[in-house]
Amino acid sequence: KKFEPLLLLPIGFGIFIVNFPLVPLMGYSDGHAQLLMFFYKYGLQWEIIPCVIFLGLGAMTDFGPLIANPKTLLVGAGAQLGVFITFTGTVLVGFTLKEAASVSIIGGADGPTTIYLTQHLAPQLLGPNALAAYSYMAMVPLIQPPIIRMMTNMKERKIRMRQLRPVSRQEKILFPLISSGIIALLVPSVIPLIGMFMLGNLMKESGVVGRLTESAQGPLMNIVTIFLGVSVGATMQADNFLSWKPLFIFSLGLLDFAVCTAGGILTVKIMNLFLKEKMNPIIGAAGVSAVPMAARVSQMEGLKYDRTNHLLMHAVGPNLAGVIGSAAAAGMFIAMFD
């Protein structure tokens, strides 16, 4: 279906190849890590790959829509509702607190953050958690539209929002610096992820390190994506994956993601009770951090009801706020349970 093929294809092949008997991929030989175990140990266990992916994402990101409409930060926070509901439910069905925290972050639809938190708290669940996170990120265009239609009426879907103001280059340069400082003070445990994200963005917005920016968003991003996909897939040997917990996680991820989507829409509807200029609740669905797919889904849904109502740039703000929100939630879990 061409939904997230850059990750799902290497993950799928990793699952396929590691389940043959006697393959020298995920063990040790004469004290040295075999091929995929090397990628897994130094890339995922040492949390290098998620941080490098965030560097590349930052180098591809324009924070202009979020800076122009800072209210959308609240939408990104509201979209984390499913994370905490799922955490409570997962504890009740028999998961430990650390396992429940690592499973609940799936709803934020942020693969690198899911891997980062899971490696901290429940590394034995890394394979199923990562697969669920990336699978449901891939299915954003299938999952979100029915939820949007269920939670909004025709009048709300046709709300037109004022064009965003222009954002100066100085604001775009200051944003990653100020954001990094605030997050480092409030949620220091997640600064390896967010710090690299903001570094990539600063490289882009500064305009003086074009070669580094191109490398981060192009070749480097592609290389670590291959290593990430294959090594995550290789953790999913049948004797580990085909048990009740991993299979339950995969089914639970759908509910988690749906509640996070609903939380973003509900946040916009609540905000509209107090705002003079109303926001279109459709953009609330973009509060999950599936960048940029969730924002595109909001755009496509808006056009179904008004062919001249373009919501993409308005939806990018909540989308980026969701990246920050899911990382903040992960940092809170690490502070509580690590």
Side-chain angles (χ1 to χ4, degrees), residues 21-335:
L22 306 178
V23 290
L25 294 175
M26 283 298 285
Y28 289 88
S29 178
D30 298 325
H32 299 288
Q34 293 171 342
L35 178 63
L36 297 185
M37 178 58 76
F38 180 87
F39 296 155
Y40 173 78
K41 180 176 178 61
Y42 297 104
L44 297 181
Q45 283 189 340
W46 288 18
E47 299 162 357
I48 293 172
I49 287 179
C51 294
V52 174
I53 286 178
F54 259 53
L55 175 71
L57 289 174
M60 293 187 280
T61 297
D62 179 4
F63 278 109
L66 180 58
I67 298 170
N69 190 6
K71 295 189 296 292
T72 54
L73 276 170
L74 296 176
V75 182
Q80 308 311 309
L81 173 68
V83 171
F84 298 100
I85 290 177
T86 304
F87 171 73
T88 304
T90 309
V91 170
L92 294 177
V93 298
F95 284 71
T96 67
L97 290 175
K98 289 185 176 183
E99 289 175 339
S102 72
V103 170
S104 63
I105 205 67
I106 293 170
D110 188 336
T113 300
T114 299
I115 292 170
Y116 185 82
L117 179 63
T118 302
Q119 188 55 49
H120 264 276
L121 300 183
Q124 72 276 12
L125 298 181
L126 180 62
N129 281 5
L131 182 64
Y134 283 115
S135 295
Y136 293 122
M137 282 171 62
M139 289 190 282
V140 165
L142 303 178
I143 297 170
Q144 287 197 329
I147 299 171
I148 291 171
R149 291 191 288 270
M150 181 177 67
M151 295 193 63
T152 60
N153 57 44
M154 187 63 70
K155 182 180 177 181
E156 289 173 326
R157 294 173 210 152
K158 290 185 176 182
I159 291 175
R160 301 180 73 91
M161 299 175 66
R162 182 191 298 182
Q163 185 175 353
L164 296 173
R165 69 171 179 84
V167 177
S168 69
R169 180 167 176 261
Q170 185 179 32
E171 288 177 290
K172 290 185 176 181
I173 290 175
L174 287 174
F175 183 83
L177 296 171
I178 294 171
S179 300
S180 299
I182 293 172
I183 292 169
L185 291 172
L186 297 179
V187 200
S189 56
V190 82
I191 202 63
L193 279 180
I194 292 297
M196 294 296 281
F197 187 54
M198 296 302 176
L199 170 60
N201 186 250
L202 181 61
M203 286 162 45
K204 171 182 179 290
E205 299 299 350
S206 70
V208 296
V209 287
R211 281 168 41 195
L212 298 184
T213 304
E214 290 175 9
S215 296
Q217 64 183 222
L220 183 60
M221 187 75 156
N222 293 335
I223 290 168
V224 296
T225 297
I226 295 171
F227 291 164
L228 169 69
V230 178
S231 53
V232 164
T235 65
M236 298 176 63
Q237 290 146 313
D239 55 342
N240 296 326
F241 184 69
L242 297 180
S243 60
W244 79 270
K245 273 189 178 181
L247 295 176
F248 183 71
I249 287 168
F250 199 74
S251 58
L252 188 66
L254 176 60
L255 177 63
D256 192 0
F257 184 73
V259 175
C260 283
T261 299
I265 297 171
L266 183 62
T267 301
V268 175
K269 291 168 75 84
I270 293 172
M271 291 173 66
N272 280 345
L273 298 176
F274 306 97
L275 294 175
K276 183 180 294 185
E277 293 187 13
K278 308 300 183 185
M279 295 194 295
N280 192 314
I282 290 176
I283 72 170
V288 299
S289 57
V291 180
M293 182 66 77
R296 291 175 181 166
V297 169
S298 295
Q299 163 78 352
M300 291 185 291
E301 284 300 299
L303 290 177
K304 288 180 182 178
Y305 308 103
D306 183 346
R307 297 299 300 173
T308 62
N309 190 10
H310 297 278
L311 296 175
L312 181 61
M313 296 311 294
H314 299 289
V316 168
N319 210 185
L320 296 174
V323 175
I324 298 172
S326 63
M332 188 196 73
F333 282 136
I334 291 172

